[in-house]
Amino acid sequence: SSKETIMADANVHFFHNFLGKAFNKEVDVNADSWYMMLLTSSASPDLSSWEYEDDLTNEVGAGGEYATGGKAMTNVTVTLIDDASAPAWAVGTAYKVGQLVRPASANGHVYRCIVAGTSHADTEPTWPTAPGEDITDGTATWEEAGAAYIKIDADDVVWEDSTITAAYAVVVDKTPASAASNPLMCLIDFGGSKSSTDGDFQVACDAVYGLGLIRVA
């Protein structure tokens, strides 16, 4: 048997219509019933045109613990993280794309890593404060990303003892209970097909870097 664990981090993308649905109260991230569905490499995801569950194509076939329509997600939460409570920048530290930090002394801004690398060994960068301005820090690059960010997080999703091959996961709001009206939240691109054979297939929200499932700066 073999197992597969995929980290949901830099390869997570909102469907373009999702934030509009959140603002017009079509979805309630904290209260609705969210599911994760898996798609094969034959799918051709379109972040612009895919809006509802019935837009999805090439779902993984039912088998083992995987059931058509995906698996319910647990402990989906939304947290506002301001500059004072964001993780503090540190010297000589490896950062990955999408990670957000504040300066060692909070300055009212948060910064998103846009080029992965290791921060300077002994000198903190002079942080820019203009919107979207970037700064090189060792081999990493940071971009000014506003005063705070919203983190959507959830428990890892695991299909135990299953034989699965998938290239994408999609987070779907099943509260409306109709494929034609179940909104799509985000797409997780695995970067190619990932497989388990009579083992656990796990999509892990990033706790190590504090990224959760997806962030909105």
Side-chain angles (χ1 to χ4, degrees), residues 145-203:
Y149 63 95
I150 296 169
K151 180 172 76 172
I152 300 175
D153 203 359
D155 292 341
D156 297 349
V157 182
V158 185
W159 289 271
E160 298 179 347
D161 301 323
S162 297
T163 297
I164 291 172
T165 298
Y168 308 96
V170 176
V171 177
V172 184
D173 182 356
K174 298 270 192 168
T175 300
S178 164
S181 55
N182 290 342
L184 308 179
M185 177 199 286
C186 62
L187 172 82
I188 305 168
D189 186 341
F190 299 162
S193 291
K194 306 295 182 182
S195 299
S196 64
T197 303
D198 295 325
D200 294 353
F201 192 99
Q202 177 175 1
V203 180

Side-chain angles (χ1 to χ4, degrees), residues 7-216:
M7 296 303 298
D9 44 49
N11 293 317
V12 184
H13 310 280
F14 275 122
F15 287 97
H16 294 176
N17 293 291
F18 171 73
L19 289 179
K21 296 182 190 310
F23 287 128
N24 69 19
K25 300 182 180 181
E26 187 175 345
V27 299
D28 183 332
V29 176
N30 281 316
D32 287 357
S33 297
W34 296 96
Y35 278 66
M36 184 174 288
M37 298 173 61
L38 300 178
L39 309 181
T40 72
S41 60
S42 296
S44 297
D46 189 323
L47 296 173
S48 297
S49 66
W50 284 13
E51 292 189 62
Y52 297 99
E53 184 184 348
D54 65 351
D55 291 319
L56 301 179
T57 61
N58 300 99
E59 183 181 4
V60 166
E65 201 183 46
Y66 191 86
T68 302
K71 187 169 188 176
M73 301 176 68
T74 55
N75 293 321
V76 179
T77 59
V78 180
T79 306
L80 176 65
I81 301 176
D82 62 20
D83 71 295
S85 57
W89 174 92
V91 298
T93 301
Y95 289 103
K96 64 196 297 185
V97 171
Q99 199 164 352
L100 290 124
V101 300
R102 63 163 171 84
S105 296
N107 69 346
H109 298 261
V110 293
Y111 298 86
R112 179 194 297 109
C113 182
I114 56 174
V115 176
T118 300
S119 60
H120 198 279
D122 52 31
T123 305
E124 186 171 4
T126 300
W127 298 100
T129 56
E133 188 176 354
D134 60 62
I135 185 76
T136 299
D137 167 30
T139 57
T141 301
W142 299 99
E143 176 186 62
E144 192 281 336
Y149 63 95
I150 296 169
K151 180 172 76 172
I152 300 175
D153 203 359
D155 292 341
D156 297 349
V157 182
V158 185
W159 289 271
E160 298 179 347
D161 301 323
S162 297
T163 297
I164 291 172
T165 298
Y168 308 96
V170 176
V171 177
V172 184
D173 182 356
K174 298 270 192 168
T175 300
S178 164
S181 55
N182 290 342
L184 308 179
M185 177 199 286
C186 62
L187 172 82
I188 305 168
D189 186 341
F190 299 162
S193 291
K194 306 295 182 182
S195 299
S196 64
T197 303
D198 295 325
D200 294 353
F201 192 99
Q202 177 175 1
V203 180
C205 298
D206 195 333
V208 174
Y209 290 89
L211 297 178
L213 176 64
I214 194 166
R215 287 82 45 213
V216 185

